[in-house]
Amino acid sequence: MSEMTAATPQLLRRVSAGAVLDFMRASGAVTVTDVIQATGLTRATAISVCEDLMQRGWITELENQRAFGGYQKGRPARRFELNERAGYVLGMDVGFSKATVVVSDLRGKALGRASQPFEIEDISPAERVGVIDQAALMALDSVGASTDSVLAVCAGIAAPVDRKGNVLASQHFWGLFDVGLRSALDDLHGWTVLLENDANLAALGDRWRGAGAGVDDVVVILASERFGSGVIEGGRLLHGSGGGAGELAYLDLLEGVGDTYGIATLARIWAAEVLEGPAKTSLRAHAATGAEAEHVFAAAAAGDAEALKILDRLADRMARVIGSVATMVNPELVVIGGAVANSAGVLLEPIAARLPEFTATPPRVAVSPLGDSIVTVGAVRRALDYVEKNSLDLVLNVPA
């Protein structure tokens, strides 16, 4: 029979510090009394822990305490709050054509953002890493943050990633993202880098700050250029044995679908088909450069018959895709995410009307309000989760 290890003073102090820091993250300015009530610590321990966390840079003591209470005489209560600029996290969306990096403080507030394109597809891993690093440095520079103030980085890529952060590079396209980013950024800056599938991060991001907030069983479908999905079941992100949970390659075999093209791609293709024919349509105003999804949606809103037909086809396609996902996963909610979500709300009613044709368990359907930031929001959340779990082992770059 195993013996329980006695709690040492060091362990108890660590547990106390973790509890205080968790409370600070969820609160604004607090007094020692607030800390005692939230954690159950004695006053002496609460004060000692707060002073230790303050010395280490995690929290700050506010000045002018008397201005925040009805103190006529006596000493006003000391007030503390999380030092949200004690360090930063980076959320990355590494796509096929560009890399976008967001700098966030420790409350998850986005402070700066930068994007850099990959000029050509066929570039070396080192060149691809160089573009990503350049975007990161530009984002940090935009907020005056140094590289050694970064506590964690999370990068979302368009390939399956397992629980250990390994890329499933069994297809050529997925292999383009297996560039050794974690080790490269560690070598360059000493950063801790977490890799994750972009659709998985979209699911984390939307459940944190989007349409799926507070929903434990939700699927988020990135639906702009190609379909991909992230699945949260019982509040837990699913990966599968090789990171392939939520992959939608099976759509190639699904009746009435047949490919993984997303809403923006299909709207573009179907609009081009219309423009090749003789039909009268306001989409001809975009014939020179090609009609995009937003042009189709705008034309449909104005009553254009051809654009309305495209919307009907899109709704049917989405109902089939969502119906297949709902049959396999049975979520409470399916969220349409990505840049196209900004205008895809018009599809919700016809999708909902068709869903019972394709699944016995139709979910609610919504569009994410996060737009094309959905992956970086999820990446920031994932990086913050790492920082919050490992705070007491991280050394802050606190000025002397």
Side-chain angles (χ1 to χ4, degrees):
M1 186 171 66
S2 62
E3 295 183 1
M4 293 184 64
T5 302
T8 64
Q10 293 81 4
L11 177 59
L12 290 174
R13 190 171 185 83
R14 182 182 178 88
V15 171
S16 299
V20 171
L21 200 48
D22 286 344
F23 174 59
M24 292 285 191
R25 291 191 186 99
S27 310
V30 300
T31 65
V32 173
T33 300
D34 296 327
V35 172
I36 293 168
Q37 292 174 345
T39 63
L41 298 175
T42 65
R43 178 167 292 276
T45 300
I47 292 173
S48 177
V49 168
C50 285
E51 289 179 342
D52 180 53
L53 290 173
M54 187 168 58
Q55 184 176 10
R56 295 175 62 177
W58 285 110
I59 67 175
T60 58
E61 184 172 6
L62 301 183
E63 298 178 355
N64 301 319
Q65 311 291 355
R66 193 173 293 279
F68 293 90
Y71 299 104
Q72 301 300 319
K73 56 185 178 179
R75 189 175 184 180
R78 299 173 68 184
R79 298 167 67 251
F80 302 91
E81 67 178 359
L82 179 73
N83 180 7
E84 57 194 34
R85 298 294 181 91
Y88 302 91
V89 299
L90 302 184
M92 298 181 171
D93 181 2
V94 181
F96 178 68
S97 60
K98 69 176 181 178
T100 299
V101 180
V102 168
V103 182
S104 167
D105 67 18
L106 297 185
R107 289 196 187 274
K109 180 181 178 181
L111 304 173
R113 178 187 180 100
S115 292
Q116 283 292 101
F118 301 113
E119 297 294 348
I120 58 175
E121 171 189 341
D122 190 20
I123 60 176
S124 69
E127 290 172 309
R128 196 170 287 271
V129 168
V131 172
I132 297 167
D133 184 50
Q134 184 178 8
L137 295 178
M138 290 171 61
L140 287 168
D141 185 63
S142 72
V143 298
S146 63
T147 57
D148 56 2
S149 66
V150 175
L151 299 179
V153 179
C154 180
I157 62 175
V161 180
D162 69 15
R163 298 181 188 90
K164 297 180 181 179
N166 300 311
V167 180
L168 179 61
S170 60
Q171 296 184 12
H172 171 69
F173 182 76
W174 294 346
L176 294 175
F177 299 94
D178 190 17
V179 298
L181 186 62
R182 288 185 298 175
S183 59
L185 293 182
D186 182 23
D187 291 342
L188 286 169
H189 308 297
W191 291 345
T192 295
V193 179
L194 314 166
L195 283 188
E196 184 56 88
N197 172 260
D198 56 357
N200 284 351
L201 291 179
L204 291 177
D206 190 81
R207 186 169 181 263
W208 182 32
R209 288 184 168 172
V215 181
D216 284 342
D217 297 284
V218 59
V219 174
V220 175
I221 298 178
L222 289 180
S224 290
E225 297 300 326
R226 285 187 177 271
F227 288 124
S229 71
V231 180
I232 293 177
E233 196 273 332
R236 181 173 62 93
L237 180 67
L238 299 185
H239 285 90
S241 61
E247 283 300 320
L248 298 180
Y250 73 88
L251 295 179
D252 291 346
L253 308 175
L254 187 64
E255 182 180 353
V257 180
D259 54 54
T260 58
Y261 291 141
I263 292 172
T265 301
L266 291 172
R268 191 183 307 126
I269 292 172
W270 292 342
E273 291 173 356
V274 169
L275 294 176
E276 288 176 358
K280 281 189 66 175
T281 173
S282 60
L283 294 175
R284 294 203 179 279
H286 308 286
T289 56
E292 299 291 337
E294 59 266 29
H295 304 139
V296 173
F297 286 125
D304 185 286
E306 297 301 321
L308 287 169
K309 291 177 185 177
I310 292 175
L311 252 63
D312 189 68
R313 293 176 69 184
L314 288 171
D316 182 77
R317 178 73 67 101
M318 288 303 303
R320 292 172 186 270
V321 172
I322 293 171
S324 69
V325 169
T327 298
M328 291 186 292
V329 182
N330 188 211
E332 175 187 342
L333 174 69
V334 171
V335 178
I336 299 171
V340 75
N342 292 330
S343 51
V346 68
L347 296 174
L348 293 181
E349 187 174 335
I351 289 173
R354 286 174 166 85
L355 266 180
E357 301 175 34
F358 305 114
T359 179
T361 55
R364 291 189 294 115
V365 183
V367 294
S368 177
L370 300 179
D372 63 359
S373 296
I374 191 168
V375 173
T376 53
V377 171
V380 165
R381 181 63 266 168
R382 178 69 179 87
L384 286 175
D385 287 343
Y386 173 86
V387 171
E388 291 171 8
K389 181 179 179 181
N390 298 280
S391 294
L392 300 179
D393 296 314
L394 299 175
V395 178
L396 301 178
N397 182 35
V398 181

